[in-house]
Amino acid sequence: MAVIREPFGRTKDGREVEKLTLRRGTLEAEVLTYGGVVAALRTADRTGTMVDVVLGYRTLAGYEENGGYLGALVGRYANRIGGARITIDGQTYPLTANEGAKQLHGGPEGFSFQVFDVAEASKDRVVLTYTEPDGKNGFPGTLALTATYALTENGLSLRYEAVCDKPTVCNITNHSYFNLNGGGSAMDHRLWVDADAFTPIDADSLPVAASADVAGTPFDFRTEKAVGRDIGQDHEQLRLAGGYDHNFVLTPKPGLRLAARLTGERSGITMECWTEQPGVQVYTANFLETDASTKSGVPYGPRQAVCLETQVPADSPNHPEWGDVILRPGQVYDAATEYR
Ligand code: BGC
């Protein structure tokens, strides 16, 4: 059976966007060529009823006019880069800032706002490609991305591969807003994260240290608890972000590993997040606010979802001591994440 491909509309600047529906067993995923968005992810709940577990919009205009990166593939560099500036081999490159003096999620014309090409499509797998030209959003070098979305026996598998023609930086993630009940507050969802440490931030949401111990703090998800159980605690790090919006430093393990587990307390749907990345940004949709072009027709608000954005910590290009995030010609950026 072939993949289902349908037109999803035209961007404000006239580019045609398609929606591809992938199916395998009882799993169904919709992927847009706009921003590589995962527009829907359906699975059966404990009664066998299909539930769409990601937030999204009915229309392309919804994606273009609301912020929030719902379901989007984020790159070339996910999360914040302080001072909108990177230095590679002694040369400093100013990036295009889009959040005060910082760059967020790859800049104002980042991957999430581009129309990708469909390189391959079958009933349960689609490969999208996009090439970001040298200098776009300020980044040095052309970056060619290949993003593979596949429904496996286990769930939705995402794989990002990228190559460049000049030394650059790369950190790609998916920004799905999960609500495993299919709607409402996500704060009673149960969450477990395999992290002994998180990355503390300043008032600009930039890291102030590589890590801080989660023990004895609201950031301790080593024993599963309701996402919102401690979110109202008077803790400086929660105040700074208006909730959770932090990188969790995963216990180092080789290969694709279980990083986090989220359960919808009403639906009984449990989702595992497996990744090869060293961290996961847990974001409780603190700033979510949309118009009524959502799939339900009701505007989304804060705390109605949990994002599990697998990545390297924010601003790591400016912290070489945390590890090498430079991609060089001849190397392949290759990162996989699965939502099972
Ligand atoms: C960031 C949030 C931001 C959200 C939507 C998340 O990855 O950490 O601070 O508001 O993306 O842009």
Side-chain angles (χ1 to χ4, degrees), residues 225-293:
K225 65 178 178 182
V227 180
R229 191 189 81 179
D230 299 328
I231 205 169
Q233 272 190 29
D234 186 24
H235 187 285
E236 192 205 6
Q237 284 296 316
L238 292 172
R239 274 200 306 275
L240 285 169
Y244 297 101
D245 190 1
H246 295 78
N247 176 61
F248 282 68
V249 183
L250 297 172
T251 312
K253 282 177 192 162
L256 193 69
R257 46 76 55 81
L258 177 62
R261 187 187 305 110
L262 186 67
T263 298
E265 76 289 358
R266 283 191 279 116
S267 64
I269 295 171
T270 291
M271 184 185 76
E272 295 178 345
C273 172
W274 290 66
T275 189
E276 295 176 338
Q277 296 282 14
V280 57
Q281 180 95 4
V282 176
Y283 175 52
T284 42
N286 309 325
F287 313 113
L288 183 63
E289 209 188 317
T290 72
D291 62 21
S293 60

Side-chain angles (χ1 to χ4, degrees), residues 67-70 74 78-80 99 104-105 173-175 177 205 241 244-247 281-283 285-288 307 309 311 314:
Y69 298 83
L70 270 63
V74 182
N79 218 314
R80 297 175 170 84
E99 190 187 64
L104 174 67
H105 292 334
T173 195
N174 173 270
H175 208 304
Y177 285 70
S205 283
Y244 297 101
D245 190 1
H246 295 78
N247 176 61
Q281 180 95 4
V282 176
Y283 175 52
N286 309 325
F287 313 113
L288 183 63
C307 302
E309 305 159 53
Q311 54 186 261

Side-chain angles (χ1 to χ4, degrees), residues 76-78 111 143 145 162 168-172 312 325-327 333:
R76 150 181 338 197
Y77 209 91
F111 290 7
L143 190 83
L145 166 75
T168 189
V169 291
C170 189
N171 181 32
I172 297 171
V312 297
V325 293
I326 297 172
L327 182 70
Y333 174 92

